[in-house]
Amino acid sequence: MKEQTNILIIDDEEVVISSISKIATLEGYSVDSVLDAFSALQKISSSKYNLIICDIMLPGMDGFQFLAELESKRIDTPVIMTTGYSTIENAVKSLYTGAIEFIPKPFTVDEMISVISRGIKYSSIMKLRKSNDDSILLVPCPAKYYRLGYSGWMNKDNDGSVLIGATDSFIKTIDQIKKIELLSTNEKLTQATPAVKFETEDGLVHQLYSVISGIIIAGNERLINEPELLEKDPYFDGWIYRIVPTELEYEMKLLIPCSSDRS
Amino acid sequence: MILVRKIFGKISLKLIGVVSVTVILIIGVYSYFNVTSQSDVLLAEVERHANQLSESVKNSTRYVMLLNQRDHIQEMINRIGKDPAIDNVRILNKEGEIIYSAHPEDIGKMLDKQAESCYACHAENKALEKLPIRQRTRIFKTHSDSSRILGIINPIYNEKSCYLADCHAHSENAKVLGVLDITISLTEVDEQIKQNEIREILFAVIAITAIGFIIGFFVKRWVDHPVRELVNATDQVAAGNLNYIIKNLSTDELGTLGKSFNNMIKKLDETSQQLYQSTKMASLGQLAAGVAHEINNPLTGVLTYSSFLLKRTKDNPQMQEDLNVIVRETLRSREIVKGLLDFARQSTPKKSSIDVNDIINHAIAVVNNQLKLNKVNLVKELDPSLPKITADANQIQQVFLNLFVNGIDAIGQNGGTLIVKTSQISLSPRGITQIKSAVCAKTHSLIDAEHKIGGMPSLRMKIKSNGNEGFVNIDPVYGSYRHYFGIAYDKNSSVNLACPVCDISFLDKNSKCPKCGGPIYKFQIPNQGFLEGCASFKDDWQKWDFVDRAGEKKFVEINVTDSGCGIPPENLNKIFEPFFTTKGQRGTGLGLSVIWGIIDNHNGSITVESKVGIGTTFSVRLPQQ
Ligand SMILES: Nc1ncnc2c1ncn2[C@@H]1O[C@H](COP(=O)(O)OP(=O)(O)OP(=O)(O)O)[C@@H](O)[C@H]1O
Ligand SMILES: [Mg+2]
Ligand SMILES: [Zn+2]
Ligand SMILES: [Zn+2]
Ligand SMILES: [Zn+2]
């Protein structure tokens, strides 16, 4: 399967392209690269890619415009965004605009390997779903939930606190979970920054971004001993943190309502 | 005249003119009445004198007449006539014949009853009996160039002794026997009147000149100097000197005007400082972003390649150790850059509806201990009806925290007062409203983030004038005129403004600039109507109905006043700069620059007023809604 996987890298810096290429080729993927988004669009029209890794700040057309262009051309190749000017706004905005992942520069090799691995997995799941293959069943996120990109969800509770967790699609893009590392209570979470670490059987470490900012008032201790809860019931028993949100009103604007997934 | 004008200036000259005319009128009328009444008195005196004389002549001649000693009478009259003041003495009989005269050649001549000496008595053609003195005197001239003469007639009435006298000259039934006519030359009196007149005129002239100079002096002092000082100040400001202050202000209206002028300049200075600061902060943020972007890319290379080496040298522990140092230090660099970005970015505010009073109370709770420790007396004057505003609660709290801490620092160990006051104010939208988006008829955006004016992205249009073609960048502040012309541009030639993308014209053929009558441009501001402006750029006319209709813009104003050490004037425009501090190691000098960025991001403003040794007030304005 790996022989046919193609990754397109878009970045205006040679050193970044060569770094990502090196990581990807050593992982066994084949790689193509361009220095700007216009050439990328040309490449995409002539050959098929499983994954695109795109810089936000590009000469001419920037990453956001590129995402919009893909959407208007109905190209659904998953896109991972990178940027040297890594602000939370950029991360959230790119996830809102259609990117599946966001990885700030500079990244470590391990971080990049995990992100690519999730991206490729996501790409193949989507392909299977399109071909109506029922061997993969994605549990949809409940209608009143909101999600950040495709990976995390949040649900407002009646008492004003908020539950956050991982979506089924995120769990399905990683291998069997070996170990979960939770932050302790009273720690502060910031939207679109790492909140949970998952170690998987394949030796990778995956980080789940926090959906919104807030103070942790409880972690789901059951997950430590029963990580399979996440796979069995990702939206209820498999919750990860209960938090008191600090910027709810503002941050919710950039989340995607799960109700929109059903249309 | 030019010299006078130079000395006094135009307004003063007018004032002096008006006052002088009034003075001349008053003194002129006064002198006229004075001179006439004086000459009246003089004449009355002469008249009385003449009457007396005539009476005494009549009495002294009476006896001689009874005796009918004609020579005697004539001799007497001659004698009297010799007096230089007396012009003539005559006695006429009833028929008008001159019987005696000081001029003997006249004797025997008949006088016409119409002659002036008879007129008083015979005016109504009936013989006179008793006449008041007024009617018996007359003033006349023998020739037009001879001096004036006063004549007085004194009728000689018939008496018993007359018709019983030996001479039997008169019959019993005649009432008036004749007339004694004395004429007196008025040369001397006229001379005196003339002198009076000259004195009066002299007095008038001196008085008018004196009053003119006195008024001139005070006008110069109270009007001319202040006005000149104002004109001078205006010139200075126009030349860009915003530190100019009008000194020696009086307490009158001109003083008030001067005071408002000083105030206006101060405000102008503050605003331009703010704009300057805004540009600087914006470029600092851009610089940091640029640096971060540039550094993060090479860091990516370092991190990737060193990690790979680490993987490939698993069997070389020595190498592993060294490589681990590289990886660790690169990761540390990553954190440093992230920190730099976090500071410089001053992240776009996460706005929600907030109660400023609430936030102030939270901030006070945080610094409460410090307040107590420094014996600071906190005074809260919070307007309970303060409306909520849309802002980032955390950032606004940060603003107040920094201001409070600065105030407490300035107060020091010996205690003092910190006053926090909130209120609502309204300001005109002109000069403060930023045009944040603008499009042509085909919805191409005109916003030019590359070219900033006053720290804000400008509006870019294509301009064609005199065959030249280029770009103009319009000032993004409504009503403000700091446009940038990319081509040499002649304000008097015809002009066309067009969209840089599709070339569609912005000129509105249907209207004219109300200020200069020239063409106007008009473009759309999405969801906020249209903006029009003078396209000849001869003046600063602009109209934005949408904003004008909304009326004055409402702000929430927060004043933080401390009784601390104050800020010396030379530091006032440095305190908002990053890394400026007077606290040595204890301060980073970032407090106020962070505040500045936050308030700018909220479209607000911050100003400072301070007196060394007395205290400092920071005023923050945040837009309502
Ligand atoms: N209320 C005040 N009274 C007197 N001086 C002040 C006041 N506020 C600020 N300043 C002056 O402005 C300087 C800059 O203030 P700023 O808050 O930016 O930095 P800082 O207080 O020195 O350091 P930091 O806030 O980063 O710890 C101060 O060092 C001080 O000299
Ligand atoms: Mg400070
Ligand atoms: Zn780049
Ligand atoms: Zn256009
Ligand atoms: Zn005009």
Side-chain angles (χ1 to χ4, degrees):
Chain A
M1 186 176 146
K2 273 190 179 176
E3 299 85 64
Q4 305 134 347
T5 41
N6 263 328
I7 299 174
L8 176 65
I9 304 166
I10 314 166
D11 203 298
D12 56 340
E13 285 272 339
E14 294 283 3
V15 69
V16 177
I17 290 183
S18 75
S19 296
I20 302 175
S21 307
K22 205 164 161 84
I23 297 169
T25 35
L26 279 175
E27 286 298 299
Y29 305 109
S30 62
V31 172
D32 231 346
S33 66
V34 287
L35 288 167
D36 63 85
F38 295 105
S39 332
L41 288 172
Q42 270 168 14
K43 283 250 177 194
I44 292 166
S45 61
S46 56
S47 41
K48 207 85 188 84
Y49 295 97
N50 299 77
L51 186 63
I52 299 168
I53 301 173
C54 178
D55 191 10
I56 287 183
M57 293 220 201
L58 289 170
M61 184 191 292
D62 70 16
F64 297 120
Q65 289 169 311
F66 176 69
L67 282 175
E69 202 64 30
L70 287 188
E71 166 135 33
S72 74
K73 292 202 157 93
R74 301 188 170 278
I75 298 169
D76 53 8
T77 315
V79 181
I80 295 169
M81 301 301 277
T82 67
T83 183
Y85 186 26
S86 54
T87 64
I88 291 158
E89 286 77 24
N90 272 341
V92 177
K93 193 173 161 199
S94 59
L95 294 176
Y96 185 75
T97 332
I100 59 157
E101 292 274 0
F102 175 88
I103 177 165
K105 285 192 276 193
F107 39 79
T108 65
V109 173
D110 292 336
E111 281 165 4
M112 188 46 104
I113 291 175
S114 331
V115 168
I116 294 180
S117 131
R118 292 203 299 272
I120 295 291
K121 195 74 196 285
Y122 183 84
S123 166
S124 57
I125 291 173
M126 288 303 138
K127 211 180 268 167
L128 286 176
R129 287 196 72 188
K130 243 180 32 197
S131 56
N132 282 326
D133 187 324
D134 286 338
S135 68
I136 279 198
L137 178 83
L138 272 187
V139 185
C141 154
K144 60 188 270 254
Y145 285 26
Y146 286 82
R147 58 184 173 89
L148 175 70
Y150 84 102
S151 55
W153 57 258
M154 65 143 273
N155 181 31
K156 223 164 117 182
D157 229 336
N158 295 332
D159 60 0
S161 71
V162 169
L163 278 182
I164 60 177
T167 60
D168 194 39
S169 50
F170 179 81
I171 303 296
K172 293 257 159 52
T173 57
I174 62 177
D175 206 18
Q176 182 81 48
I177 299 167
K178 214 164 63 180
K179 194 180 154 208
I180 296 180
E181 232 176 85
L182 295 179
L183 295 171
S184 40
T185 48
N186 283 329
E187 273 195 80
K188 197 172 181 301
L189 289 181
T190 308
Q191 188 181 38
T193 58
V196 204
K197 246 188 208 170
F198 301 99
E199 267 177 46
T200 48
E201 295 293 347
D202 54 6
L204 295 182
V205 174
H206 300 276
Q207 304 216 339
L208 180 70
Y209 285 161
S210 180
V211 183
I212 54 164
S213 308
I215 313 275
I216 301 172
I217 48 174
N220 189 355
E221 300 294 338
R222 282 177 70 193
L223 293 178
I224 312 279
N225 300 320
E226 309 172 61
E228 27 343 314
L229 259 183
L230 274 169
E231 287 155 55
K232 283 194 209 137
D233 191 5
Y235 300 110
F236 298 97
D237 285 347
W239 61 275
I240 300 174
Y241 295 119
R242 180 179 292 278
I243 65 169
V244 175
T246 45
E247 314 275 0
L248 191 60
E249 196 183 324
Y250 172 78
E251 291 176 344
M252 290 243 317
K253 283 189 233 158
L254 289 171
L255 298 180
I256 303 158
C258 293
S259 53
S260 70
D261 298 348
R262 278 136 227 271
S263 52
Chain B
M1 197 61 199
I2 290 168
L3 184 80
V4 175
R5 202 165 263 182
K6 261 207 183 125
I7 294 171
F8 290 112
K10 264 191 175 164
I11 298 185
S12 332
L13 209 62
K14 276 186 197 161
L15 261 174
I16 293 170
V18 168
V19 174
S20 302
V21 167
T22 321
V23 168
I24 288 172
L25 264 175
I26 291 171
I27 292 185
V29 169
Y30 165 77
S31 303
Y32 172 76
F33 283 110
N34 211 12
V35 168
T36 24
S37 78
Q38 269 181 20
S39 48
D40 281 354
V41 168
L42 273 173
L43 276 178
E45 182 61 23
V46 172
E47 212 172 69
R48 202 177 54 80
H49 180 73
N51 195 39
Q52 235 163 34
L53 182 72
S54 124
E55 231 19 79
S56 51
V57 169
K58 195 167 109 185
N59 287 339
S60 53
T61 51
R62 183 167 180 264
Y63 177 69
V64 197
M65 275 210 213
L66 285 177
L67 297 179
N68 210 11
Q69 291 176 343
R70 291 182 169 244
D71 298 346
H72 224 104
I73 295 171
Q74 180 61 43
E75 202 222 271
M76 247 178 87
I77 283 177
N78 276 347
R79 207 161 0 101
I80 295 166
K82 287 229 173 67
D83 187 321
I86 289 170
D87 178 64
N88 200 1
V89 184
R90 309 183 284 188
I91 293 176
L92 318 170
N93 71 4
K94 227 168 89 179
E95 279 72 42
E97 186 189 352
I98 299 170
I99 304 170
Y100 307 102
S101 171
H103 301 226
E105 67 276 11
D106 292 344
I107 295 174
K109 283 187 185 159
M110 286 296 291
L111 275 190
D112 180 3
K113 275 186 188 158
Q114 298 298 317
E116 356 71 32
S117 37
C118 307
Y119 183 74
C121 318
H122 296 283
E124 269 128 38
N125 272 335
K126 60 174 189 190
L128 78 182
E129 279 148 45
K130 292 244 167 182
L131 275 177
I133 180 165
R134 270 275 109 179
Q135 293 185 14
R136 288 189 282 119
T137 47
R138 64 196 193 281
I139 292 173
F140 64 94
K141 284 183 174 182
T142 41
H143 306 287
S144 59
D145 51 349
S146 63
S147 54
R148 294 200 298 166
I149 288 167
L150 178 127
I152 185 156
I153 45 174
N154 201 349
I156 301 164
Y157 297 103
N158 202 358
E159 287 173 39
K160 206 175 186 181
S161 49
C162 291
Y163 53 77
L164 293 180
D166 296 337
C167 59
H168 304 293
H170 305 294
S171 65
E172 196 187 327
N173 38 11
K175 265 191 186 145
V176 175
L177 301 180
V179 166
L180 171 68
D181 181 26
I182 297 181
T183 52
I184 293 176
S185 162
L186 288 179
T187 323
E188 224 173 289
V189 174
D190 279 351
E191 191 61 31
Q192 209 168 346
I193 289 175
K194 198 179 238 153
Q195 260 170 22
N196 276 352
E197 271 173 13
I198 290 172
R199 259 211 311 277
E200 266 327 309
I201 288 171
L202 210 68
F203 160 76
V205 168
I206 290 171
I208 289 165
T209 341
I211 289 174
F213 273 100
I214 290 169
I215 288 172
F217 174 76
F218 283 106
V219 162
K220 203 170 158 75
R221 208 177 146 155
W222 290 335
V223 181
D224 225 45
H225 279 307
V227 167
R228 190 120 36 96
E229 186 53 28
L230 269 172
V231 172
N232 187 17
T234 320
D235 288 346
Q236 287 276 346
V237 171
N241 178 5
L242 292 183
N243 292 318
Y244 195 87
I245 277 183
I246 302 176
K247 293 188 202 82
N248 307 326
L249 291 173
S250 49
T251 49
D252 55 14
E253 288 83 350
L254 277 168
T256 319
L257 178 60
K259 221 177 282 165
S260 338
F261 188 88
N262 281 347
N263 229 340
M264 181 185 85
I265 298 313
K266 207 172 120 225
K267 285 270 137 64
L268 202 64
D269 192 25
E270 276 171 15
T271 320
S272 64
Q273 277 295 343
Q274 205 147 44
L275 287 172
Y276 174 66
Q277 191 72 25
S278 154
T279 339
K280 242 184 5 193
M281 289 301 290
S283 44
L284 182 86
Q286 274 169 356
L287 183 77
V291 167
H293 185 239
E294 293 313 314
I295 287 181
N296 278 337
N297 283 326
L299 277 184
T300 306
V302 175
L303 209 49
T304 313
Y305 284 84
S306 51
S307 310
F308 271 120
L309 280 176
L310 209 54
K311 279 196 168 102
R312 277 193 357 211
T313 54
K314 286 227 163 83
D315 46 350
N316 186 342
Q318 183 58 48
M319 187 97 147
Q320 288 265 305
E321 211 172 287
D322 294 351
L323 282 169
N324 265 322
V325 173
I326 297 182
V327 171
R328 193 185 68 216
E329 289 308 299
T330 316
L331 287 174
R332 200 163 79 92
S333 310
R334 169 163 97 167
E335 290 314 303
I336 293 171
V337 174
K338 196 163 156 278
L340 175 65
L341 270 179
D342 282 344
F343 158 67
R345 170 163 49 88
Q346 262 139 26
S347 58
T348 42
K350 298 168 182 173
K351 291 186 178 168
S352 55
S353 177
I354 62 163
D355 180 346
V356 172
N357 289 343
D358 251 15
I359 288 185
I360 288 175
N361 283 325
H362 286 160
I364 289 171
V366 176
V367 295
N368 215 1
N369 274 332
Q370 240 171 313
L371 287 171
K372 282 194 189 128
L373 226 57
N374 288 271
K375 303 182 212 86
V376 176
N377 173 27
L378 179 81
V379 180
K380 284 196 279 184
E381 296 173 13
L382 306 183
D383 178 355
S385 62
L386 205 67
K388 289 196 164 197
I389 62 168
T390 311
D392 182 315
N394 284 334
Q395 291 191 355
I396 299 299
Q397 175 162 347
Q398 181 76 35
V399 168
F400 296 131
L401 270 178
N402 287 356
L403 288 180
F404 295 164
V405 169
N406 280 350
I408 295 169
D409 283 350
I411 288 170
Q413 302 298 316
N414 297 325
T417 317
L418 189 71
I419 306 169
V420 189
K421 188 180 163 199
T422 56
S423 53
Q424 307 173 53
I425 55 167
S426 301
L427 296 173
S428 151
R430 257 164 214 273
I432 58 170
T433 311
Q434 185 189 349
I435 305 164
K436 288 188 171 158
S437 63
V439 294
C440 79
K442 293 190 179 156
T443 69
H444 298 119
S445 172
L446 303 179
I447 298 295
D448 181 3
E450 307 271 294
H451 187 110
K452 299 201 167 154
I453 296 179
M456 292 159 267
S458 60
L459 316 179
R460 188 167 136 110
M461 292 181 183
K462 207 188 249 178
I463 184 168
K464 275 180 228 160
S465 161
N466 264 354
N468 274 345
E469 195 177 309
F471 292 98
V472 57
N473 287 81
I474 308 267
D475 192 330
V477 174
Y478 171 44
S480 168
Y481 189 96
R482 295 166 297 175
H483 313 319
Y484 169 81
F485 294 94
I487 55 165
Y489 163 63
D490 173 10
K491 292 189 178 179
N492 291 313
S493 68
S494 72
V495 66
N496 188 28
L497 294 169
C499 170
V501 181
C502 68
D503 226 14
I504 199 165
S505 173
F506 290 120
L507 292 192
D508 180 3
K509 299 265 177 332
N510 301 323
S511 327
K512 295 234 168 308
C513 169
K515 270 201 191 170
C516 70
I520 69 160
Y521 57 81
K522 182 174 183 175
F523 54 81
Q524 194 184 350
I525 310 220
N527 304 322
Q528 304 190 317
F530 290 88
L531 189 133
E532 297 162 85
C534 178
S536 68
F537 297 109
K538 277 183 195 158
D539 48 74
D540 60 356
W541 181 76
Q542 272 192 335
K543 196 170 94 180
W544 187 0
D545 258 347
F546 183 86
V547 166
D548 286 338
R549 247 186 299 118
E552 302 213 302
K553 254 181 122 164
K554 291 206 171 94
F555 291 84
V556 164
E557 186 175 77
I558 307 99
N559 293 306
V560 180
T561 306
D562 65 64
S563 63
C565 57
I567 305 168
E570 67 270 20
N571 282 351
L572 269 183
N573 47 23
K574 292 192 208 138
I575 55 170
F576 291 105
E577 275 173 28
F579 310 117
F580 175 81
T581 180
T582 56
K583 299 174 188 168
Q585 290 297 315
R586 285 191 308 109
T588 63
L590 289 179
L592 284 175
S593 60
V594 167
I595 289 181
W596 210 96
I598 291 173
I599 291 171
D600 197 44
N601 270 334
H602 282 84
N603 300 320
S605 69
I606 178 166
T607 53
V608 59
E609 232 167 282
S610 186
K611 276 216 170 81
V612 173
I614 293 178
T616 307
T617 298
F618 282 92
S619 304
V620 174
R621 282 174 188 168
L622 294 167
Q624 283 184 26
Q625 116 240 222

